[in-house]
Amino acid sequence: MSQVSALIGLGNPGPEYAATRHNAGVWMVDAVARATNTSLRPEKKFLGLYAKVNFSGHTLHLLNPTTFMNRSGTSVAALCQFFKLSPEQLLIAHDELDLPAGQARYKTGGGHGGHGGHNGLRDIISALGNQKQFHRLRIGVGHPGSAHQVVNYVLGRPGKTEQSAIEQALEECLATLPLALGGDWANAMNRQHRFSAASE
């Protein structure tokens, strides 16, 4: 199994989207950047904000595409081409409607999710020539209860309790990430999947 060498956070660019649920993947990448005292900088060739960090002894490319969510694949494909990365070397962090806020799960391969799918994942799969074998970090944001409300829900901001739960889950992701980067998926998953943020 290839070592993960890039962590990509899905979201929409611009201040009006920064605090919305759809940007949970971006928050994860930002958390890793903060943990390594690094700032992501605009990188034209990757159509995103990029940094190279050393996280727990692992060299890791961080990328937050600044294309809109449904064009994320262009940015991811550019990074892969430049660094000659295979899909198996990618860990894509994204918001997940099927998990409650306060939970996060690792997953390898698969499609682009239920409920009509995740536009960011769908575009990445397509841009990688239909290869789906990248790893995902699914960050729970909960579900509004009705498919019709999904768009407004993911483009809305989480409430205070929900935000706190998501942040606790991201903290746990930071703690399990070194295991994942080292290829120890069983332990990373085991620990991450047992975690659920304490609700207020």
Side-chain angles (χ1 to χ4, degrees):
M1 206 147 155
S2 306
Q3 296 284 68
V4 164
S5 46
L7 172 66
I8 294 150
L10 300 189
N12 283 310
E16 67 274 36
Y17 294 109
T20 62
R21 294 181 181 94
H22 222 13
N23 276 38
V26 168
W27 302 343
M28 178 62 199
V29 170
D30 288 346
V32 173
R34 276 196 303 278
T36 54
N37 295 317
T38 308
S39 315
L40 294 155
R41 302 195 186 289
E43 179 50 78
K44 275 206 184 89
K45 63 177 173 277
F46 304 142
L47 305 167
L49 300 171
Y50 169 80
K52 185 176 173 182
V53 299
N54 183 313
F55 185 75
S56 288
H58 300 277
T59 299
L60 189 61
H61 302 288
L62 299 180
L63 177 67
N64 283 333
T66 48
T67 54
F68 278 86
M69 178 67 91
N70 57 359
R71 291 277 169 267
S72 306
T74 319
S75 174
V76 173
L79 183 84
C80 289
Q81 267 175 322
F82 189 83
F83 291 115
K84 310 223 177 332
L85 302 174
S86 67
E88 294 84 357
Q89 290 174 281
L90 307 178
L91 176 59
I92 310 277
H94 65 88
D95 57 309
E96 176 59 70
L97 291 162
D98 290 339
L99 290 174
Q103 287 185 18
R105 299 270 188 275
Y106 289 104
K107 179 184 174 187
T108 298
H112 42 69
H115 300 302
H118 191 289
N119 288 338
L121 293 179
R122 186 188 286 117
D123 196 57
I124 289 166
I125 290 168
S126 159
L128 295 177
N130 217 25
Q131 296 187 73
K132 301 172 184 169
Q133 282 315 102
F134 51 85
H135 306 281
R136 297 96 189 274
L137 177 54
R138 303 159 63 219
I139 300 159
V141 294
H143 195 282
S146 152
H148 299 298
Q149 296 169 324
V150 162
V151 172
N152 286 339
Y153 180 78
V154 294
L155 294 179
R157 294 166 178 236
K160 222 171 176 172
T161 311
E162 206 187 328
Q163 183 72 37
S164 157
I166 294 170
E167 282 168 11
Q168 288 176 56
L170 292 177
E171 282 297 310
E172 187 67 9
C173 293
L174 279 180
T176 58
L177 188 57
L179 292 168
L181 294 178
D184 189 354
W185 290 101
N187 275 330
M189 286 178 177
N190 210 348
R191 178 173 167 180
Q192 188 67 53
H193 298 189
R194 276 202 313 263
F195 179 82
S196 187
S199 50
E200 298 298 304

